[in-house]
Amino acid sequence: MSGQAALRRDVAIVSWASFETPSEPARNEVEMLLPVVQEALGKVGLTQQDIGFTVSGSSDYLQGFPFAFVGALDAVGAWPPIRESHVEMDGAFALYEAVNVLQEEGIDTALVYAFARPSRGEVDRTLALQLDPYYVAPLWPDARGLAALQAQAMKDSGRFGDVPDLPPTYVADGCVAVVLAVGDRARELTKTPAWIRGIDHRIEPPSLGVRDLTTSPSTIAAGDAAGAAGADAAWLHVPYPHQELVLREALGLSGATVDSAAGPVMVGGLERLAAAAAGIAAGKARRAVAHATSGPCLQQNLVAVLEGVAQ
Amino acid sequence: MSEPVTIVETPIKLDFSYTPGVASSRFLRSLEKGKIVGQRCPKCKKVYMPPRGACSMCGVATDEELILSGKGTVCTFCVTRIPTPGLDAPYVSAWIRLDGADITSMFLIQECDPEEVRLGMRVEAVWVDEADREPNLGNIKYFRPTGEPDADYDTYKDYV
Ligand SMILES: [Zn+2]
């Protein structure tokens, strides 16, 4: 999809709320999510029954609980039955689905949320299960080890100057909720909607051996389709510090203010979209890029372009 | 031609620590004391047992707690005639609506002939000895008939 052209209806981020802590000791996923969902809805005076489409991003593998994403619906209340979906990915990719569903007449609002408590498991090992189940996952290459291969390839390329050393995988628990609305509905709900002018996501081959890990063709393609050129600020999802260098190059961000964060796994990307919307609402940026990634070594990348004025 | 490979074994093992949550922790601690604590939804007033801290239908926290009696009514049941580890066949599993609760939960029914179990039968919880209790639902060994007259169909017809 070439972002701007394909959005028949203008969609804006109108509200958001988030929570992050190094390790949530006592509350379960639903208890962590409830106040955050309520806050995001409450800021624009909505209840779950006003929402046309609900979608979440999370991974049951982190919770070790089959259909954990269904249990999380306790945090929104699915009665009378709601129109709902889920992606086993970062919540940013759930937002992409919501933007597409909002192109349908009759659905004017969407709630997107993401949650994870990776502090309770072994996230580096758990993420190995994203890999090829027959030839790669049984070797248990941990997430940090794969990121280190990428950092080493960058050092060897000589293209990046100083490549930062690899810290331990960032582990935090948290959740984020984002409310979307279309056209006049968005203008009713807030004085400062952050309009999604373009959004696109691309994936690279699953086999790490066929990729050049020092570049991110999927980010370049998603950025082109979303219209990232000319942005004056960017909110990048950077699970490991060296990846910021690859993303800056892929998005051509020279001259733009860049804010990078990892965030909790499955949550960090959607948090970047919320942070970019906050930047637009606060007048810190005119045209903002929000980026989210999922998978090993920036395998999948989503780029959205936000502005304070509608098309 | 060599034979095609039809099976590849790739064992996977991950360890998790489960967090019941704040509301479920209170419920589990009460079970150690031999009490069944339900939670009421402030919006639709439904009482959840076991409580999970939020009303599935309304999406709000269920903060109000109330102690249930430990007696209930059989809403539906199944007789299993194949033994399972720790259970000799035949055994009876039943969905029981505890008095005061608005959802049913599954328990075993013992101390009676499986053929006697029926919808509307009144049953009560049989607890593990106090010294052996842990914070989990296993503290209720099973339910047994109370001998009371069967409940009126109207009191459980929505749960069959
Ligand atoms: Zn309720």
Side-chain angles (χ1 to χ4, degrees):
Chain A
M1 135 180 185
S2 98
Q4 257 161 297
L7 292 183
R8 294 183 320 260
R9 306 175 83 200
D10 285 332
V11 177
I13 296 177
V14 296
S15 182
W16 54 86
S18 64
F19 170 76
E20 183 176 330
T21 182
S23 175
E24 169 62 43
R27 292 185 301 170
N28 63 22
E29 283 75 357
V30 169
E31 289 170 334
M32 198 173 66
L33 204 45
L34 252 172
V36 171
V37 168
Q38 300 279 336
E39 183 187 341
L41 291 173
K43 274 183 184 171
V44 282
L46 296 178
T47 68
Q48 183 59 32
Q49 289 309 310
D50 302 316
I51 294 295
F53 180 66
T54 300
V55 60
S56 60
S58 67
S59 174
D60 290 0
Y61 283 92
L62 294 170
Q63 209 164 329
F65 204 92
F67 293 97
F69 71 93
V70 178
L73 281 171
D74 280 6
V76 298
W79 191 264
I82 61 171
R83 193 187 285 247
E84 183 268 344
S85 184
H86 173 260
V87 298
E88 190 83 3
M89 293 180 81
D90 188 287
F93 296 84
L95 181 138
Y96 180 85
E97 183 176 340
V99 169
N100 280 279
V101 170
L102 286 167
Q103 301 307 303
E104 285 180 40
E105 289 298 329
I107 300 181
D108 296 338
T109 51
L111 169 70
V112 186
Y113 62 88
F115 62 94
R117 292 174 71 249
S119 73
R120 310 305 289 172
E122 305 166 276
V123 69
D124 273 340
R125 275 171 61 81
T126 305
L127 291 176
L129 297 181
Q130 300 180 101
L131 303 164
D132 176 294
Y134 302 110
Y135 299 109
V136 186
L139 304 172
W140 292 102
D142 63 277
R144 182 168 180 250
L146 294 179
L149 283 179
Q150 184 178 37
Q152 188 60 48
M154 289 167 64
K155 283 179 186 168
D156 293 346
S157 78
R159 229 171 59 238
F160 294 93
D162 281 340
V163 177
D165 286 336
L166 202 78
T169 300
Y170 182 75
V171 178
D173 297 344
C175 54
V176 58
V178 170
V179 180
L180 302 176
V182 297
D184 289 342
R185 189 78 174 108
R187 290 180 198 94
E188 268 168 41
L189 293 172
T190 175
K191 287 194 177 69
T192 54
W195 298 99
I196 298 171
R197 299 294 301 272
I199 185 166
D200 194 271
H201 75 86
R202 301 292 173 103
I203 186 168
E204 293 178 40
S207 170
L208 289 167
V210 305
R211 290 171 53 193
D212 173 359
L213 298 179
T214 70
T215 66
S216 184
S218 56
T219 304
I220 295 169
D224 284 349
D232 55 334
W235 278 263
L236 303 181
H237 184 201
V238 178
Y240 297 95
H242 64 272
Q243 293 172 339
E244 180 177 327
L245 303 176
V246 176
L247 294 169
R248 278 176 177 268
E249 191 181 79
L251 290 165
L253 291 176
S254 54
T257 319
V258 175
D259 180 293
S260 292
V265 62
M266 301 296 144
V267 174
L270 183 58
E271 190 281 329
R272 300 282 70 200
L273 281 143
I280 290 285
K284 286 187 203 155
R286 185 189 54 79
R287 187 172 171 86
V289 161
H291 160 266
T293 191
S294 206
C297 303
L298 303 173
Q299 192 196 8
Q300 302 145 56
N301 291 282
L302 178 147
V303 178
V305 174
L306 306 180
E307 285 189 341
V309 283
Q311 206 146 356
Chain B
M1 286 294 282
S2 61
E3 282 293 304
V5 176
T6 55
I7 291 176
V8 178
E9 281 190 32
T10 62
I12 285 173
K13 181 180 179 292
L14 283 175
D15 291 321
F16 293 93
S17 49
Y18 170 66
T19 305
V22 175
S24 291
S25 289
R26 289 197 302 265
F27 167 70
L28 295 168
R29 289 296 174 202
S30 75
L31 285 175
E32 281 183 315
K33 299 184 188 105
K35 288 189 170 66
I36 302 173
V37 171
Q39 289 183 1
R40 195 194 312 270
C41 172
K43 227 168 134 188
C44 69
K45 306 296 177 195
K46 276 194 194 323
V47 173
Y48 283 82
M49 201 319 285
R52 291 190 301 180
C55 176
S56 291
M57 299 176 89
C58 303
V60 295
T62 49
D63 294 328
E64 188 194 340
E65 301 194 330
L66 58 164
I67 294 171
L68 306 180
S69 70
K71 283 188 184 181
T73 300
V74 174
C75 297
T76 184
F77 68 96
C78 154
V79 181
T80 305
R81 299 184 188 279
I82 303 163
T84 198
L87 277 176
D88 294 331
Y91 64 90
V92 183
S93 332
W95 281 108
I96 294 169
R97 183 190 180 191
L98 288 177
D99 295 350
D102 291 299
I103 63 168
T104 53
S105 11
M106 188 179 278
F107 291 99
L108 296 169
I109 295 188
Q110 293 184 6
E111 293 190 29
C112 75
D113 187 331
E115 308 309 321
E116 286 172 25
V117 179
R118 59 200 176 271
L119 303 199
M121 186 186 219
R122 297 285 296 156
V123 290
E124 64 188 1
V126 177
W127 293 79
V128 168
D129 289 341
E130 205 169 334
D132 301 329
R133 284 184 202 153
E134 290 179 352
N136 64 54
L137 254 186
N139 287 342
I140 298 176
K141 284 199 283 191
Y142 54 81
F143 277 67
R144 68 179 171 211
T146 63
E148 295 166 287
D150 285 1
D152 279 344
Y153 181 62
D154 280 350
T155 65
Y156 64 90
K157 68 176 194 300
D158 294 337
Y159 298 86
V160 174

